[in-house]
Amino acid sequence: LRAEGEVTSRDFPTAEHNPLEKLLGPEWSACHILLDCDAMPYVDSSAIGWLIMSQKALRTHGGELVLHSVPPQVRQLFDLLKLGRVVPLAENRAAAQALFQPV
């Protein structure tokens, strides 16, 4: 998947509304998702909360989320908040795909 534009509270009108379900269907939380963040120049606290909650749901149901190609200003925020401890962050698509490979 590809995130485009700012990701803010407008994208999450209610706690029950998860854009991944709209895109991937009701079984979204069992998917392994690569999220290309190259065109995502800004995220707010709602987006951070959504990423954490989505990863929790994914892990509970056998899925996983990996972010890649995060712009420097967004990556700086993710690093400050230590988001990478919850949601894996990769430099590019190939590195993100490698995180899904069995060890």
Side-chain angles (χ1 to χ4, degrees), residues 64-96:
E64 187 171 11
L65 173 65
V66 176
L67 307 180
H68 71 87
S69 307
V70 180
Q73 65 276 15
V74 176
R75 180 64 185 247
Q76 184 178 16
L77 175 64
F78 288 174
D79 290 346
L80 178 69
L81 296 174
K82 300 185 185 331
L83 183 68
R85 291 183 178 178
V86 178
V87 180
L89 305 172
E91 291 300 315
N92 55 48
R93 182 181 176 91

Short mmCIF file of all heavy atoms in Angstrom, two decimals, residues 64-96:
data_model
loop_
_atom_site.label_atom_id
_atom_site.label_comp_id
_atom_site.label_asym_id
_atom_site.label_seq_id
_atom_site.Cartn_x
_atom_site.Cartn_y
_atom_site.Cartn_z
N GLU A 64 1.02 -8.39 9.92
CA GLU A 64 2.09 -7.48 10.34
C GLU A 64 2.13 -6.29 9.40
O GLU A 64 1.76 -6.38 8.24
CB GLU A 64 3.44 -8.19 10.34
CG GLU A 64 4.53 -7.32 10.93
CD GLU A 64 5.84 -8.06 11.15
OE1 GLU A 64 5.99 -9.20 10.67
OE2 GLU A 64 6.71 -7.49 11.79
N LEU A 65 2.60 -5.19 9.94
CA LEU A 65 2.75 -3.95 9.18
C LEU A 65 4.21 -3.54 9.21
O LEU A 65 4.84 -3.54 10.27
CB LEU A 65 1.89 -2.85 9.82
CG LEU A 65 2.03 -1.43 9.28
CD1 LEU A 65 1.54 -1.35 7.84
CD2 LEU A 65 1.23 -0.47 10.16
N VAL A 66 4.77 -3.20 8.04
CA VAL A 66 6.12 -2.66 7.94
C VAL A 66 6.04 -1.39 7.12
O VAL A 66 5.45 -1.38 6.03
CB VAL A 66 7.10 -3.66 7.27
CG1 VAL A 66 8.47 -3.03 7.09
CG2 VAL A 66 7.21 -4.95 8.07
N LEU A 67 6.62 -0.32 7.63
CA LEU A 67 6.66 0.95 6.91
C LEU A 67 8.00 1.06 6.20
O LEU A 67 9.03 0.65 6.74
CB LEU A 67 6.53 2.12 7.89
CG LEU A 67 5.34 2.12 8.84
CD1 LEU A 67 5.37 3.36 9.72
CD2 LEU A 67 4.04 2.03 8.08
N HIS A 68 7.98 1.64 5.00
CA HIS A 68 9.25 1.85 4.31
C HIS A 68 9.25 3.18 3.56
O HIS A 68 8.20 3.78 3.34
CB HIS A 68 9.58 0.68 3.37
CG HIS A 68 8.72 0.59 2.15
ND1 HIS A 68 9.00 1.26 0.99
CD2 HIS A 68 7.59 -0.13 1.90
CE1 HIS A 68 8.09 0.97 0.07
NE2 HIS A 68 7.21 0.13 0.62
N SER A 69 10.44 3.62 3.20
CA SER A 69 10.65 4.86 2.44
C SER A 69 10.04 6.07 3.17
O SER A 69 9.41 6.92 2.55
CB SER A 69 10.07 4.72 1.03
OG SER A 69 10.58 3.58 0.39
N VAL A 70 10.24 6.12 4.46
CA VAL A 70 9.70 7.21 5.28
C VAL A 70 10.54 8.46 5.06
O VAL A 70 11.76 8.42 5.20
CB VAL A 70 9.70 6.81 6.78
CG1 VAL A 70 9.15 7.93 7.63
CG2 VAL A 70 8.94 5.51 7.00
N PRO A 71 9.89 9.60 4.72
CA PRO A 71 10.63 10.84 4.51
C PRO A 71 11.40 11.25 5.78
O PRO A 71 10.96 10.96 6.89
CB PRO A 71 9.54 11.88 4.19
CG PRO A 71 8.38 11.08 3.71
CD PRO A 71 8.45 9.78 4.45
N PRO A 72 12.53 11.94 5.61
CA PRO A 72 13.39 12.28 6.75
C PRO A 72 12.67 13.00 7.90
O PRO A 72 12.89 12.67 9.06
CB PRO A 72 14.47 13.17 6.14
CG PRO A 72 14.51 12.78 4.71
CD PRO A 72 13.11 12.39 4.34
N GLN A 73 11.80 13.97 7.60
CA GLN A 73 11.15 14.70 8.68
C GLN A 73 10.17 13.82 9.46
O GLN A 73 10.04 13.95 10.68
CB GLN A 73 10.46 15.98 8.18
CG GLN A 73 9.31 15.76 7.23
CD GLN A 73 9.71 15.58 5.77
OE1 GLN A 73 10.86 15.34 5.44
NE2 GLN A 73 8.74 15.67 4.88
N VAL A 74 9.52 12.89 8.79
CA VAL A 74 8.61 11.96 9.46
C VAL A 74 9.43 10.90 10.20
O VAL A 74 9.12 10.54 11.33
CB VAL A 74 7.63 11.32 8.45
CG1 VAL A 74 6.75 10.27 9.13
CG2 VAL A 74 6.76 12.40 7.81
N ARG A 75 10.49 10.43 9.58
CA ARG A 75 11.37 9.44 10.22
C ARG A 75 11.97 9.99 11.50
O ARG A 75 12.08 9.29 12.51
CB ARG A 75 12.47 9.02 9.24
CG ARG A 75 13.46 8.00 9.78
CD ARG A 75 12.76 6.68 10.07
NE ARG A 75 13.65 5.72 10.68
CZ ARG A 75 14.05 4.62 10.09
NH1 ARG A 75 13.65 4.30 8.88
NH2 ARG A 75 14.84 3.80 10.72
N GLN A 76 12.30 11.26 11.51
CA GLN A 76 12.85 11.90 12.71
C GLN A 76 11.83 11.82 13.86
O GLN A 76 12.18 11.49 14.99
CB GLN A 76 13.21 13.35 12.42
CG GLN A 76 13.89 14.04 13.57
CD GLN A 76 14.29 15.46 13.22
OE1 GLN A 76 13.85 16.04 12.25
NE2 GLN A 76 15.16 16.03 14.04
N LEU A 77 10.56 12.09 13.56
CA LEU A 77 9.50 11.99 14.57
C LEU A 77 9.34 10.54 15.03
O LEU A 77 9.26 10.26 16.23
CB LEU A 77 8.18 12.52 14.00
CG LEU A 77 6.96 12.35 14.91
CD1 LEU A 77 7.12 13.16 16.19
CD2 LEU A 77 5.70 12.75 14.16
N PHE A 78 9.31 9.60 14.08
CA PHE A 78 9.17 8.18 14.43
C PHE A 78 10.32 7.74 15.33
O PHE A 78 10.12 7.01 16.29
CB PHE A 78 9.11 7.31 13.18
CG PHE A 78 7.84 7.39 12.39
CD1 PHE A 78 7.73 6.74 11.18
CD2 PHE A 78 6.74 8.12 12.83
CE1 PHE A 78 6.56 6.78 10.43
CE2 PHE A 78 5.57 8.18 12.10
CZ PHE A 78 5.47 7.51 10.90
N ASP A 79 11.54 8.18 15.00
CA ASP A 79 12.70 7.82 15.81
C ASP A 79 12.61 8.43 17.21
O ASP A 79 12.92 7.77 18.20
CB ASP A 79 14.00 8.25 15.13
CG ASP A 79 14.31 7.44 13.89
OD1 ASP A 79 13.70 6.36 13.68
OD2 ASP A 79 15.17 7.89 13.10
N LEU A 80 12.19 9.67 17.29
CA LEU A 80 12.04 10.35 18.58
C LEU A 80 11.04 9.61 19.47
O LEU A 80 11.26 9.43 20.67
CB LEU A 80 11.57 11.79 18.37
CG LEU A 80 11.33 12.62 19.63
CD1 LEU A 80 12.64 12.91 20.34
CD2 LEU A 80 10.63 13.92 19.27
N LEU A 81 9.96 9.14 18.87
CA LEU A 81 8.92 8.42 19.61
C LEU A 81 9.22 6.92 19.75
O LEU A 81 8.44 6.20 20.37
CB LEU A 81 7.57 8.61 18.92
CG LEU A 81 7.05 10.04 18.88
CD1 LEU A 81 5.79 10.13 18.03
CD2 LEU A 81 6.79 10.56 20.29
N LYS A 82 10.32 6.47 19.15
CA LYS A 82 10.71 5.06 19.17
C LYS A 82 9.62 4.16 18.59
O LYS A 82 9.38 3.05 19.05
CB LYS A 82 11.10 4.63 20.57
CG LYS A 82 12.27 5.44 21.13
CD LYS A 82 12.72 4.92 22.44
CE LYS A 82 13.80 5.73 23.11
NZ LYS A 82 14.75 6.47 22.41
N LEU A 83 8.96 4.64 17.55
CA LEU A 83 7.90 3.89 16.90
C LEU A 83 8.42 2.58 16.31
O LEU A 83 7.70 1.58 16.26
CB LEU A 83 7.23 4.73 15.80
CG LEU A 83 6.05 4.07 15.10
CD1 LEU A 83 4.87 3.92 16.07
CD2 LEU A 83 5.62 4.88 13.89
N GLY A 84 9.68 2.58 15.91
CA GLY A 84 10.27 1.38 15.33
C GLY A 84 10.28 0.18 16.27
O GLY A 84 10.44 -0.95 15.83
N ARG A 85 10.10 0.40 17.55
CA ARG A 85 10.00 -0.71 18.50
C ARG A 85 8.67 -1.45 18.35
O ARG A 85 8.55 -2.59 18.76
CB ARG A 85 10.13 -0.20 19.93
CG ARG A 85 11.50 0.29 20.27
CD ARG A 85 11.57 0.70 21.71
NE ARG A 85 12.91 1.15 22.06
CZ ARG A 85 13.24 1.59 23.25
NH1 ARG A 85 12.34 1.66 24.21
NH2 ARG A 85 14.47 1.98 23.48
N VAL A 86 7.68 -0.76 17.79
CA VAL A 86 6.34 -1.35 17.63
C VAL A 86 6.06 -1.70 16.18
O VAL A 86 5.54 -2.77 15.88
CB VAL A 86 5.26 -0.37 18.16
CG1 VAL A 86 3.87 -0.93 17.97
CG2 VAL A 86 5.52 -0.01 19.60
N VAL A 87 6.38 -0.77 15.28
CA VAL A 87 6.13 -0.95 13.85
C VAL A 87 7.49 -0.93 13.15
O VAL A 87 8.18 0.09 13.18
CB VAL A 87 5.23 0.18 13.29
CG1 VAL A 87 4.98 -0.02 11.81
CG2 VAL A 87 3.92 0.26 14.06
N PRO A 88 7.89 -2.03 12.53
CA PRO A 88 9.18 -2.04 11.84
C PRO A 88 9.27 -0.96 10.76
O PRO A 88 8.31 -0.72 10.03
CB PRO A 88 9.25 -3.44 11.22
CG PRO A 88 8.32 -4.26 12.05
CD PRO A 88 7.22 -3.33 12.46
N LEU A 89 10.44 -0.32 10.70
CA LEU A 89 10.71 0.72 9.71
C LEU A 89 11.86 0.26 8.84
O LEU A 89 12.89 -0.16 9.34
CB LEU A 89 11.10 2.03 10.41
CG LEU A 89 10.12 2.57 11.45
CD1 LEU A 89 10.73 3.76 12.20
CD2 LEU A 89 8.82 2.98 10.80
N ALA A 90 11.68 0.33 7.52
CA ALA A 90 12.71 -0.10 6.59
C ALA A 90 13.05 1.06 5.65
O ALA A 90 12.22 1.92 5.38
CB ALA A 90 12.24 -1.31 5.79
N GLU A 91 14.26 1.04 5.15
CA GLU A 91 14.72 2.12 4.26
C GLU A 91 14.00 2.12 2.92
O GLU A 91 13.76 3.17 2.35
CB GLU A 91 16.23 2.01 4.03
CG GLU A 91 17.06 2.32 5.27
CD GLU A 91 16.82 3.74 5.77
OE1 GLU A 91 16.80 4.69 4.97
OE2 GLU A 91 16.66 3.89 7.00
N ASN A 92 13.70 0.93 2.39
CA ASN A 92 13.07 0.83 1.07
C ASN A 92 12.21 -0.44 1.00
O ASN A 92 12.17 -1.21 1.95
CB ASN A 92 14.13 0.85 -0.03
CG ASN A 92 15.18 -0.23 0.18
OD1 ASN A 92 14.87 -1.38 0.44
ND2 ASN A 92 16.44 0.16 0.10
N ARG A 93 11.57 -0.61 -0.15
CA ARG A 93 10.66 -1.76 -0.31
C ARG A 93 11.38 -3.10 -0.16
O ARG A 93 10.88 -4.01 0.49
CB ARG A 93 9.97 -1.67 -1.67
CG ARG A 93 8.98 -2.79 -1.91
CD ARG A 93 8.32 -2.67 -3.29
NE ARG A 93 7.47 -3.79 -3.53
CZ ARG A 93 6.18 -3.84 -3.24
NH1 ARG A 93 5.60 -2.79 -2.70
NH2 ARG A 93 5.46 -4.91 -3.50
N ALA A 94 12.54 -3.22 -0.76
CA ALA A 94 13.29 -4.48 -0.68
C ALA A 94 13.64 -4.82 0.77
O ALA A 94 13.48 -5.98 1.19
CB ALA A 94 14.54 -4.41 -1.54
N ALA A 95 14.07 -3.84 1.52
CA ALA A 95 14.40 -4.07 2.93
C ALA A 95 13.15 -4.43 3.73
O ALA A 95 13.19 -5.27 4.63
CB ALA A 95 15.08 -2.85 3.52
N ALA A 96 12.03 -3.81 3.39
CA ALA A 96 10.77 -4.11 4.07
C ALA A 96 10.33 -5.54 3.77
O ALA A 96 9.91 -6.28 4.66
CB ALA A 96 9.69 -3.11 3.65
#
